[in-house]
Amino acid sequence: MRFGHFDDSAREYVITTPRTPYPWINYLGSESFFGLISHMGGGYCFYRDARLRRLTRYRYNSVPNEQGGRFFYIHENGEYWTPTFAPVKTELDSFECRHGLGYTRITGSRKGIEAELLYLVPRGFNAEVHQVTLRNKSNTPRTLKLFSFVEFCLWNAHDDATNLQRNLSTGEVEVVGSTIYHKTEYRERRNHFAFYHVNAPVAGFDTDRESFIGLYNHLGEPEVVQRGVPKNTVAHGWAPIGSHCLEVTLAPGAERKFVFLLGYVENPPAEKWSKPGVIEKRRATAMIEQFSKPEQVESALQTLRQHWTELLGRYSVKSPDEKLNRMVNIWNPYQCVVTFHMSRSASYFETGIGRGMGFRDSNQDLLGFVHLLPELARQRIIDIASTQFPDGSAYHQYQPLTKRGNNDIGSGFNDDPLWLILGVAAYIKETGDYAILDESVPFDNDENNRAPLMEHLTRSFEHVLNNIGPHGLPLIGRADWNDCLNLNCFSETPDESYQTTGNRVGRTAESVFIAGMFCHIGPEYAALCERRGDADRAQRARREIAKMEKIVLEHGWDGDWFLRAYDFFGNKVGSKECEDGKIFIEPQGYCVMAGIGKESGHAARALDAVKERLDTPYGIVLVNPAYTRYQVELGEISSYPPGYKENAGIFCHNNPWIMIAETVLRRPERAFEYYKKITPAYIEDISEVHKMEPYVYSQMIAGKDAVKPGEAKNSWLTRTAAWNFVAVSQHLLGVRPHYDGLVVDPCLPAEVPQFSITRWCRGTTYVINVKNSGKGGAPKLVVDGKPVAGNLVPYGKPGATIQVECSV
Ligand code: BGC
Ligand code: NOJ
């Protein structure tokens, strides 16, 4: 069952009923100011940091779900309604929400009045624009009252939700004409404030929540809206809000537009006040002037659309499969850019007050957006590498505002260092910017201990070799990619973290997955050494990788698939010998991606075992059989009920590793089958089962052991976006940048018989037409009319367009 449809030409998803199975959200903003917005106008906004600079309040995990947003109430002769359906929930005559790239348009109508709400954050601007268009579609003149509503958060979202004894006394506002200024704590150490403005004279306003709503009412029945008369309240303490009241008379067929601005301003400390106690407002006034007319909103929307047209033009496909096209051309890269900005901070599942940026998360996010925003990728790499320790290990997370490693979590996740090599290699392949390797980057942000980035990569590589266990496999530390496989932690008390507790200093627990990573990512390190003229190091690296491959086949092979790990006691994890958890997805994907056992047949057997034991109609589960009881020596993985999260959920993030692995074995049917199972556009028809947005990936879909298999959770902020983009664009469609040219190596089944790809890379445009037999053989290339051997199209001149004909 669907709740809407894709409109590809507008690059929008159109939701046609407010009753989606979960709030379906979008993101506004692309630089410093961001908003989350649901199809009902719910959500909140913040400046840079969802925890420390939150402008509006949102109550997570509330009843009803949407407790916070930018709402518009329409009052007419004692009746009132909201065009977003919630919070009033009066039945509408029509409803439509269009989520586009960086903007959302919600239109609701009732009894001949149509209200269209356009929400966006203009490029380079620190405010949300809410444009309200009211249309009288009836035959009689109508007189309405329009009430706006936002509730201010007192900046620090964590403190705001917990420190009530203070916060209920600190709230302050100023009201001047049609602008409401929120200035809580401005009197002391803050020099920032928020404002909520409308470009028309108001009939009144409210800034005190209890007065507006009524203490025992809820957002769906605000007292002021019920009566249709504003109270002109000025908040002192309690809960400051911003609400304007506008009187509107519309002749039949007439329409009126109002532009609301919800903005953020920082004043230099010396210019805080215009007179004692009164905030200096010049910067706000200047912003207001920029958006005082609907034409200015229209032009900002066009600029935003143009920005996305440019970005998305860097990789696009035309194929007979419209679902493939819309994911590759629109939604998958869009989600990659959102994950770049948000990391794992703010979604409807991440509260914005928890985790910072993950070391491994951010390195992998980079794989999905590096072709779109290479300059930002460069900066991100430097920031991440600056949190590495001199021994090559790394802080598992760092804070975006301070860019400092997070001490609460610390280090010891032994996969982390290798992801840095992968991120840097992807950046260099995309840009050719080898100079980044010479950038001087501190260790642990210590200015007195710096080294060129290349040295950081060496420390990453060596960190694996310096931490080898009894079988010659890499030690796992606190966990590897699977944060929930905690083989050294032994957590027995509820109020502690699985990842950081105990950490018995065992040097026995080993990870076959990290071994696979070492063999997959290590060659990138060797290639970079070679390109910098360090042949000895490159050779040594390759020797170590070859050695590791042998060790994996000797000690990391379980007979039909790759083992997952050895635990603290040296027992096997992910083996036939285990009671539960006999086979894991991660090592099958990563070892085969590395080519381990490709010639000997191990790789094919491992992937066949995945098909047989882990595949389901909704995707590939992480482990099978699911753990049925808590096993302290394995940690958090066995804490989840069977079928959820790491305990045999379909962790979408590592499904693409299996897709890529299938292309390594040149098995296009299976690779594409796995792709279609988890890719949102293909499962739009079962939205009632899947529940999450049909235009973005979720982190997890409940697995076959769950009570509701196929039900997804944790949409938006997941590396699933980046890895699926890599899988589909670089391995299925098969176009990927390499150090000296663009690889063209498609591996898709015959159901996509021909397609063409336009790829912009290093200033050159490549137009690649593919005739696909679906047999998975080696491609034959003709470049600008000349046949070339192999699958590499050498990089052309910037500005040129190169034609590639490929048959495969
Ligand atoms: C989740 C993991 C996550 C970890 C660290 C666990 O509860 O299941 O997916 O990586 O927490 O935040
Ligand atoms: C989510 C975390 O952000 C990520 O770092 C981890 O790899 C996965 N969960 C799997 O545990």
Side-chain angles (χ1 to χ4, degrees):
M1 181 181 169
R2 297 183 186 197
F3 299 84
H5 58 266
F6 287 93
D7 178 347
D8 294 336
S9 62
R11 297 189 302 225
E12 291 172 340
Y13 191 81
V14 190
I15 299 165
T16 47
T17 164
R19 291 186 173 84
T20 52
Y22 203 70
W24 284 358
I25 73 163
N26 191 15
Y27 286 83
L28 311 175
S30 52
E31 287 134 305
S32 306
F33 192 94
F34 297 96
L36 284 71
I37 183 161
S38 77
H39 69 290
M40 298 194 289
Y44 60 96
C45 58
F46 58 93
Y47 175 72
R48 282 191 195 276
D49 189 314
R51 173 169 179 163
L52 299 175
R53 292 286 184 282
R54 201 178 290 200
L55 272 80
T56 53
R57 218 171 243 169
Y58 182 81
R59 293 172 186 80
Y60 276 97
N61 209 1
S62 264
V63 182
N65 205 307
E66 286 289 66
Q67 291 295 312
R70 325 80 179 140
F71 298 126
F72 293 93
Y73 301 87
I74 295 172
H75 175 111
E76 189 180 12
N77 299 329
E79 283 190 14
Y80 60 95
W81 56 288
T82 32
T84 43
F85 182 59
V88 177
K89 296 205 327 201
T90 309
E91 285 307 322
L92 302 174
D93 296 334
S94 70
F95 171 88
E96 184 186 84
C97 166
R98 289 178 169 261
H99 282 317
L101 308 186
Y103 66 91
T104 287
R105 201 190 287 273
I106 306 173
T107 311
S109 71
R110 195 171 173 271
K111 294 190 178 169
I113 295 295
E114 182 180 271
E116 180 186 314
L117 318 174
L118 170 67
Y119 300 90
L120 77 147
V121 173
R123 301 266 312 146
F125 201 64
N126 291 330
E128 279 187 9
V129 173
H130 310 154
Q131 178 174 271
V132 180
T133 308
L134 296 176
R135 298 188 183 101
N136 179 359
K137 299 208 152 181
S138 71
N139 302 325
T140 47
R142 308 282 286 266
T143 301
L144 318 167
K145 279 189 181 137
L146 174 70
F147 291 90
S148 65
F149 174 83
V150 297
E151 180 178 357
F152 292 109
C153 177
L154 309 188
W155 301 114
N156 178 329
H158 185 261
D159 189 74
D160 181 69
T162 51
N163 194 7
L164 301 184
Q165 59 80 26
R166 169 179 161 85
N167 293 339
L168 295 182
S169 294
T170 53
E172 287 192 291
V173 297
E174 279 179 35
V175 184
V176 182
S178 299
T179 316
I180 294 162
Y181 295 88
H182 174 230
K183 59 170 189 177
T184 301
E185 290 187 343
Y186 192 80
R187 63 170 60 242
E188 29 114 343
R189 294 156 300 167
R190 295 189 186 276
N191 58 345
H192 43 262
F193 63 87
F195 66 90
Y196 195 32
H197 167 84
V198 61
N199 69 338
V202 294
F205 61 88
D206 275 285
T207 67
D208 176 59
R209 188 186 69 199
E210 301 327 1
S211 312
F212 180 77
I213 294 183
L215 186 58
Y216 295 104
N217 287 19
H218 55 76
L219 284 175
E221 48 171 24
E223 212 170 275
V224 159
V225 178
Q226 282 179 328
R227 292 183 192 165
V229 185
K231 294 183 183 165
N232 298 338
T233 52
V234 176
H236 298 283
W238 299 108
I241 61 159
S243 173
H244 308 91
C245 172
L246 294 152
E247 276 171 4
V248 193
T249 305
L250 292 171
E255 76 165 36
R256 273 202 70 181
K257 283 184 194 287
F258 299 98
V259 183
F260 292 82
L261 268 195
L262 176 58
Y264 172 88
V265 173
E266 249 171 44
N267 277 333
E271 294 171 33
K272 270 180 82 161
W273 306 103
S274 64
K275 51 185 171 185
V278 178
I279 49 180
E280 169 54 59
K281 304 184 178 68
R282 267 177 309 171
R283 287 175 177 78
T285 315
M287 286 173 75
I288 287 168
E289 270 166 25
Q290 276 181 267
F291 285 94
S292 58
K293 297 193 199 85
E295 303 84 77
Q296 293 163 317
V297 178
E298 186 53 36
S299 130
L301 182 63
Q302 289 320 319
T303 308
L304 188 62
R305 293 180 65 84
Q306 188 54 33
H307 168 71
W308 278 103
T309 302
E310 276 159 32
L311 288 191
L312 298 178
R314 296 191 174 186
Y315 192 123
S316 65
V317 61
K318 259 194 218 140
S319 84
D321 182 340
E322 61 169 11
K323 295 173 183 155
L324 178 66
N325 300 348
R326 69 169 65 110
M327 287 313 300
V328 173
N329 298 343
I330 305 170
W331 294 99
N332 196 169
Y334 181 55
Q335 188 180 1
C336 287
V337 170
V338 171
T339 60
F340 158 67
H341 287 301
M342 298 290 131
S343 191
R344 306 295 164 263
S345 68
S347 73
Y348 267 30
F349 294 85
E350 301 279 8
T351 58
I353 57 177
R355 295 195 270 175
M357 317 279 288
F359 191 95
R360 74 159 88 89
D361 295 327
S362 296
N363 274 305
Q364 291 168 76
D365 285 345
L366 204 126
L367 308 177
F369 75 84
V370 63
H371 67 299
L372 302 174
L373 303 166
E375 308 76 26
L376 297 177
R378 192 181 209 273
Q379 186 56 49
R380 180 60 61 84
I381 287 171
I382 306 290
D383 292 347
I384 301 172
S386 307
T387 64
Q388 189 179 28
F389 289 105
D391 72 351
S393 65
Y395 276 110
H396 194 46
Q397 290 170 9
Y398 71 97
Q399 297 310 124
L401 216 60
T402 61
K403 298 189 176 175
R404 292 289 190 274
N406 183 343
N407 274 316
D408 295 343
I409 317 267
S411 72
F413 295 75
N414 284 352
D415 62 318
D416 275 336
L418 285 172
W419 296 116
L420 180 64
I421 300 179
L422 189 68
V424 172
Y427 170 77
I428 293 179
K429 288 178 187 171
E430 180 67 41
T431 59
D433 174 18
Y434 288 91
I436 193 175
L437 297 172
D438 297 316
E439 284 286 334
S440 162
V441 180
F443 289 104
D444 189 12
N445 278 292
D446 175 359
E447 287 308 316
N448 300 316
N449 189 3
R450 307 178 70 99
L453 182 64
M454 186 66 204
E455 177 59 22
H456 283 254
L457 303 191
T458 298
R459 306 265 177 115
S460 284
F461 187 82
E462 296 297 328
H463 185 266
V464 177
L465 296 175
N466 293 335
N467 290 279
I468 293 288
H471 298 91
L473 293 161
L475 291 169
I476 196 168
R478 289 185 164 162
D480 59 21
W481 173 89
N482 192 331
D483 268 329
C484 297
L485 198 59
N486 316 118
L487 303 182
N488 291 304
C489 294
F490 293 80
S491 176
E492 305 214 64
T493 0
D495 302 319
E496 61 191 21
S497 145
Y498 289 102
Q499 279 86 28
T500 58
T501 295
N503 203 13
R504 294 195 192 178
V505 213
R507 290 189 71 88
T508 38
E510 298 167 289
S511 162
V512 177
F513 171 74
I514 301 182
M517 275 180 83
F518 184 75
C519 298
H520 178 249
I521 298 173
E524 303 289 359
Y525 170 70
L528 291 174
C529 290
E530 206 154 57
R531 268 147 216 281
R532 301 201 17 118
D534 199 339
D536 291 350
R537 249 183 225 264
Q539 224 180 24
R540 169 171 178 269
R542 292 203 172 105
R543 265 202 316 273
E544 294 294 345
I545 295 163
K547 200 165 115 196
M548 187 66 79
E549 266 192 58
K550 279 176 103 177
I551 293 171
V552 169
L553 289 174
E554 199 180 329
H555 296 292
W557 181 251
D558 195 52
D560 280 306
W561 55 79
F562 293 100
L563 268 181
R564 179 62 175 87
Y566 287 94
D567 73 10
F568 182 84
F569 306 104
N571 295 324
K572 292 176 181 171
V573 180
S575 157
K576 287 191 173 100
E577 294 166 20
C578 304
E579 182 191 328
D580 292 331
K582 292 178 193 289
I583 170 172
F584 280 69
I585 190 173
E586 304 99 307
Q588 323 312 326
Y590 240 91
C591 291
V592 180
M593 276 161 71
I596 303 176
K598 188 176 161 190
E599 264 74 56
S600 60
H602 292 79
R605 271 159 79 187
L607 293 190
D608 290 346
V610 167
K611 178 83 196 149
E612 192 187 315
R613 293 173 180 252
L614 301 179
D615 186 30
T616 81
Y618 301 112
I620 310 166
V621 297
L622 190 146
V623 60
N624 182 260
Y627 291 102
T628 47
R629 62 186 171 85
Y630 180 51
Q631 287 177 237
V632 70
E633 74 284 8
L634 300 181
E636 187 173 358
I637 188 166
S638 57
S639 75
Y640 284 113
Y644 293 98
K645 294 283 282 184
E646 281 85 345
N647 189 14
I650 295 155
F651 222 90
C652 296
H653 172 174
N654 45 33
N655 278 232
W657 296 344
I658 301 295
M659 298 166 203
I660 300 170
E662 289 286 357
T663 69
V664 169
L665 301 188
R666 307 303 292 179
R667 305 200 296 194
E669 301 280 343
R670 275 209 197 154
F672 197 48
E673 182 192 328
Y674 289 139
Y675 176 74
K676 289 189 292 187
K677 278 187 181 171
I678 64 160
T679 293
Y682 292 90
I683 50 180
E684 189 193 6
D685 284 342
I686 54 158
S687 289
E688 82 286 9
V689 178
H690 186 75
K691 284 198 168 167
M692 295 297 120
E693 297 90 337
Y695 39 92
V696 292
Y697 289 96
S698 295
Q699 181 203 51
M700 195 239 3
I701 301 174
K704 56 184 171 182
D705 311 284
V707 175
K708 291 189 180 170
E711 183 183 272
K713 288 196 187 92
N714 204 356
S715 56
W716 282 98
L717 303 186
T718 162
R719 278 168 291 152
T720 306
W723 273 107
N724 273 288
F725 192 72
V726 169
V728 68
S729 67
Q730 302 192 5
H731 298 277
L732 293 164
L733 294 165
V735 176
R736 56 181 178 269
H738 199 61
Y739 295 104
D740 305 314
L742 207 59
V743 172
V744 176
D745 192 16
C747 187
L748 272 172
E751 62 181 283
V752 196
Q754 89 281 328
F755 50 93
S756 79
I757 290 166
T758 306
R759 175 66 154 100
W760 182 94
C761 189
R762 304 191 187 190
T764 310
T765 303
Y766 301 82
V767 179
I768 304 158
N769 297 314
V770 181
K771 286 210 175 65
N772 178 36
S773 71
K775 296 198 182 107
K780 290 199 182 57
L781 303 185
V782 177
V783 179
D784 279 342
K786 294 193 201 81
V788 297
N791 61 13
L792 194 73
V793 179
Y795 286 127
K797 289 203 186 69
T801 297
I802 294 183
Q803 289 287 336
V804 182
E805 301 300 320
C806 167
S807 47
V808 59

